């Protein structure tokens, strides 16, 4: 037990070092982690570390899905619902069919049932790599929203295809009508279970006397409860977590205290970072174990099959993405669509963002060793190796070329009517106006009597004048004055911090109060620093 703990502690330290290296090289950290895992797989210390599919599906998948659902904008999800659902369900099924027939024609002895099994394994893209890259290169926010929304749902459809294909291989029978009915049943009831459990947790948040720490712990338990109950009844645990997570995320303002709303994102971002780092590093560590198991064909043939299937997947997604653009232009004559003229730039980038990840590898590893009690599962080792090659090719090749594709295509943001910097000033102006109007309507008589309310009123008036000036000034003068203000304000915050540290050396001041005000200064600095980062991105 102690040895296992030391191993995983070492892996986490290696993850931190590789992520820092990725930041230094300005590369998406999943790419560096997979390559780092490949390098570590040749060392004796970590060569025996293997992925347990049950570990991935039950321990890693629910919190990662829940965090993604929590970060997803329901407004953007609903706006792009047709694109998201089409790529998460019909396109995943279409991709599975293309891979099934391609592998059936390409690999001698491969049956269509095995082809559908492979298709269900490699069809769902992993959005973590794509969104990590896109945050390093300027792309329209709508594209990131679509990719994040697709990633929430495509795992469910691919795992359902995988489940039915696995039954077809093991039993030798497949009934289309029964499979279609079961497909919709698994999806609908999985979603309903997630919503019901989400409502139970919502009631706990609202009706019971929770604290910020309890709220964080409840958020950690929720995805596991949703996933477990759905899978226990053989429905989609993925959709249960997604549906429940979206429900609770949309109700966060009603059910969480302000401390919970501050603490939860920090806890979840740390947990998500560690889990994502582990799964991508573990992918790279699987190379020796997977390579040593190949028996049906030579290593050279297996690599060729993996590269061919990777090419099929890349071309299929690109064609589907461009085809969806043409289909949208046709359908705009009959229904209201989010974008009547998608063009070709966004579909090209969206089509290239088809990197595969840990769900595919976990699904491949979950294929049983034996078809029955005596016969080995046909081509299991080859399926596992092809899956590994697909993940490696799409993650490294597409991931490393994604920034170049984005720069060459140079997509324009046609969906943001007002620049983000101007939106922010307008929002602040509206908030100041609403606050002033509230004071004038409800507490006008207290303004001359209560010095604190009068000071608040005067400050809001100054803020409103500042925001009006910001909206009217030219961009250059506004940028210079804002940068000067931010620089000076950061210096003031540092002086306040230094003075608090000096006060802490004096016996008459309570250190807990000093720490409280240091935390408030940290929050102020975080707001200014994030504002600076946003301006650099723009």
């Amino acid at each position: 037990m102690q040895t296992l703990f030391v191993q995983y502690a070492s892996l986490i330290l290696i993850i931190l070092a590789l992520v820092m290296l990725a930041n230094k090289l300005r590369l998406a950290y999943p790419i560096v982690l997979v390559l780092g895992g490949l390098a570590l797989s040749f060392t004796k210390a970590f060569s025996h570390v293997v992925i347990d599919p049950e570990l991935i599906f039950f321990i890693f998948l629910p919190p990662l899905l829940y965090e993604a659902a929590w970060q997803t904008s329901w407004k953007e999800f609903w706006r792009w619902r047709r694109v998201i659902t089409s790529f998460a369900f019909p396109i995943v099924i279409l991709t599975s069919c293309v891979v099934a027939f391609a592998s059936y024609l390409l690999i001698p002895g491969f049956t269509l049932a095995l082809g559908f099994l492979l298709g269900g394994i490699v069809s769902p893209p992993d959005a973590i790599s794509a969104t990590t890259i896109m945050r390093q290169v300027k792309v329209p926010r709508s594209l990131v929203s679509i990719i994040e929304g697709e990633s929430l749902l495509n795992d469910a459809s691919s795992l359902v295809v995988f489940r039915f294909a696995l039954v077809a291989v093991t039993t030798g029978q497949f009934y289309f009508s029964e499979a279609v009915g079961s497909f919709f049943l698994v999806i609908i009831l999985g979603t309903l279970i997630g919503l019901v459990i989400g409502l139970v947790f919502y009631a706990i948040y609202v009706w019971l006397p929770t604290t910020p720490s309890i709220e964080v712990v409840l958020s950690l338990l929720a995805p596991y409860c949703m996933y477990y109950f759905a899978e226990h009844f053989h429905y989609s645990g993925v959709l249960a977590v997604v549906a429940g997570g979206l429900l609770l995320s949309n109700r966060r303002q009603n059910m969480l205290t302000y401390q919970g709303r501050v603490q939860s994102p920090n806890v979840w971002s740390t947990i998500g970072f560690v889990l994502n780092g582990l799964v991508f590093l573990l992918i790279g560590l699987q190379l020796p174990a997977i390579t040593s198991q190949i028996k049906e064909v030579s290593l050279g043939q297996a690599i060729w099959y993996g590269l061919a299937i990777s090419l099929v997947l890349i071309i299929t997604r690109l064609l589907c993405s461009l085809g969806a653009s043409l289909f949208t232009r046709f359908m705009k004559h009959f229904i209201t669509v989010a974008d009547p003229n998608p063009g070709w730039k966004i579909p090209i980038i969206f089509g290239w963002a088809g990197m595969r990840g840990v769900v595919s590898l976990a699904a491949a590893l979950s294929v049983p060793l034996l078809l029955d009690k005596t016969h080995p599962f046909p081509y299991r080792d080859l399926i596992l190796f092809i899956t590994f090659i697909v993940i490696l090719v799409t993650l490294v090749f597409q991931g490393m070329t994604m920034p170049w594709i984005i720069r060459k295509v140079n997509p324009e943001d046609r969906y943001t009517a007002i620049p983000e910097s101007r939106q922010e000033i307008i929002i602040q102006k509206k908030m100041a106006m609403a606050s002033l109007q509230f004071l004038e309507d409800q507490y006008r008589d207290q303004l001359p009597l209560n010095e604190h309310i009068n000071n608040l009123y005067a400050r809001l008036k100054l803020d409103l004048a500042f925001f009006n000036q910001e909206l009217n000034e030219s961009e250059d003068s506004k940028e210079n004055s804002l940068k000067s203000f931010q620089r000076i304000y950061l210096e003031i915050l540092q002086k306040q911090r230094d003075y608090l540290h000096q006060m802490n050396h004096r016996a008459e001041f309570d250190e807990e109060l000093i720490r409280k005000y240091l935390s408030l200064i940290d929050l102020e600095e975080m707001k200014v620093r994030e504002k600076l980062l946003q301006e650099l991105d723009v």
Side-chain angles (χ1 to χ4, degrees), residues 34 37-38 41 121-122 282-288 290-291 306 310 360-361 364 382-394:
V34 169
L38 278 173
S41 68
I121 290 170
V122 300
L282 288 171
I283 287 174
L285 285 170
Q286 303 311 297
L287 177 63
I290 293 172
T291 305
S310 301
S360 294
L361 187 58
L382 183 59
I383 289 171
L384 189 56
F385 185 81
I386 290 173
T387 303
F388 182 83
I389 294 295
V390 165
I391 294 170
L392 192 62
V393 169
T394 56

Side-chain angles (χ1 to χ4, degrees), residues 172-444:
Q173 296 178 333
F174 180 77
Y175 300 102
F176 180 78
S177 59
E178 182 180 340
V180 171
S182 299
F183 180 83
F184 286 105
L185 191 67
V186 164
I187 288 173
I188 293 170
L189 290 181
T191 302
L192 288 176
I193 289 173
L195 292 174
V196 169
I197 296 177
L199 288 172
V200 171
F201 273 87
Y202 178 75
I204 294 172
Y205 279 115
V206 174
W207 294 340
L208 297 182
T210 61
T211 65
S213 298
I214 292 174
E215 289 173 354
V216 172
V217 173
L218 285 172
S219 71
L220 295 174
L221 289 174
Y224 291 108
C225 292
M226 295 167 187
Y227 188 86
Y228 172 78
F229 280 105
E231 289 293 326
H232 178 73
F233 295 105
H234 306 292
Y235 301 123
S236 175
V238 172
L239 281 178
V241 175
V242 170
L246 286 173
L247 172 69
L248 294 178
S249 171
N250 206 36
R251 295 287 184 270
R252 71 180 77 183
Q253 296 299 326
N254 301 331
M255 69 184 192
L256 297 179
T257 59
Y258 72 93
Q259 300 104 318
R261 291 195 294 271
V262 171
Q263 290 180 17
S264 292
N266 295 328
V267 172
W268 272 102
S269 63
T270 304
I271 291 174
F273 171 76
V274 172
L275 292 180
N276 280 317
L278 280 172
V279 294
F280 281 110
L281 191 70
L282 288 171
I283 287 174
L285 285 170
Q286 303 311 297
L287 177 63
I290 293 172
T291 305
S292 63
Q293 293 174 4
I294 301 175
K295 300 181 182 66
E296 295 91 350
V297 296
S298 66
L299 182 60
Q301 286 179 306
I303 293 173
W304 156 242
Y305 294 148
L307 294 175
I309 296 300
S310 301
L311 183 62
V312 167
L313 285 168
I314 292 171
I315 293 174
T316 301
R317 183 173 174 88
L318 280 170
L319 292 177
C320 288
S321 182
L322 292 169
S325 176
L326 294 174
F327 184 71
T328 300
R329 295 185 65 180
F330 171 74
M331 291 302 295
K332 71 180 180 181
H333 300 293
F334 306 98
I335 60 173
T336 302
V337 294
D339 183 6
N341 186 21
W344 61 272
K345 292 184 176 182
I346 295 295
I348 285 289
I349 298 173
F350 184 60
W352 200 251
M355 288 78 88
R356 271 60 183 176
V358 69
V359 172
S360 294
L361 187 58
L365 286 166
S366 67
V367 175
L369 292 171
L370 298 176
L371 190 62
D372 49 39
K373 293 183 179 180
T374 55
H375 298 88
F377 196 96
Y379 292 94
R380 181 187 185 274
D381 303 329
L382 183 59
I383 289 171
L384 189 56
F385 185 81
I386 290 173
T387 303
F388 182 83
I389 294 295
V390 165
I391 294 170
L392 192 62
V393 169
T394 56
L395 193 60
V396 177
F397 172 64
Q398 287 185 282
M400 295 189 74
T401 55
M402 175 68 80
W404 180 81
I405 294 287
I406 292 171
R407 284 193 293 268
K408 287 296 180 182
V409 172
N410 190 24
E412 64 276 8
D413 192 350
R414 298 184 292 109
Y415 312 111
T416 304
I418 306 173
E420 285 189 16
S421 57
R422 191 171 181 85
Q423 283 186 52
E424 191 168 353
I425 298 172
I426 292 172
I427 290 169
Q428 291 174 308
K429 175 187 172 182
K430 297 286 187 184
M431 290 168 62
M433 289 174 62
S435 302
L436 282 169
Q437 191 65 48
F438 175 77
L439 287 176
E440 290 172 355
D441 292 343
Q442 301 294 326
Y443 299 101
R444 180 183 294 274

Side-chain angles (χ1 to χ4, degrees), residues 114-126:
L114 288 171
F116 275 104
L117 183 69
L118 178 61
I121 290 170
V122 300
S123 56
D126 179 90

